[in-house]
Amino acid sequence: MKKYLNKGYNSGIVAYEHDGNKILVKFHDGWVYEYRRERIGDFDYDKMVQLAEEGAGLNSYINRNRNVSKGFSNKFRA
């Protein structure tokens, strides 16, 4: 997983990984959430990847967007 840059200094996200079909987002509490393109849609998936790469805004995007916050496919500890 790549370290999340956290440019806003207040994100709960510490790392992420994506492969074109899914994005894994690791939070500071150790939980990793898996979001799949086919479940959340192309727009939200692409936006999440963009925000992850920029290192800012991903946590807020997940929290504000019900389609994403409720659309994770899997959750596990890592």
Side-chain angles (χ1 to χ4, degrees):
M1 294 188 99
K2 289 175 70 173
K3 182 179 177 184
Y4 183 69
L5 294 179
N6 191 17
K7 291 180 180 175
Y9 303 107
N10 61 351
S11 180
I13 296 172
V14 296
Y16 69 95
E17 179 179 311
H18 62 89
D19 68 4
N21 292 311
K22 70 177 181 260
I23 182 169
L24 302 175
V25 179
K26 183 175 183 179
F27 291 87
H28 65 84
D29 62 2
W31 284 102
V32 177
Y33 286 73
E34 176 184 83
Y35 302 90
R36 295 193 155 277
R37 180 187 288 276
E38 66 268 7
R39 183 153 179 180
I40 62 173
D42 290 336
F43 180 84
D44 287 325
Y45 177 85
D46 292 340
K47 185 66 174 178
M48 288 178 71
V49 169
Q50 174 195 348
L51 294 170
E53 293 291 332
E54 290 173 357
L58 182 56
N59 194 48
S60 295
Y61 188 79
I62 292 169
N63 289 332
R64 285 188 309 220
N65 189 327
R66 187 169 175 83
N67 179 56
V68 174
S69 66
K70 302 294 183 190
F72 64 91
S73 302
N74 194 14
K75 173 180 158 180
F76 57 92
R77 285 240 187 230

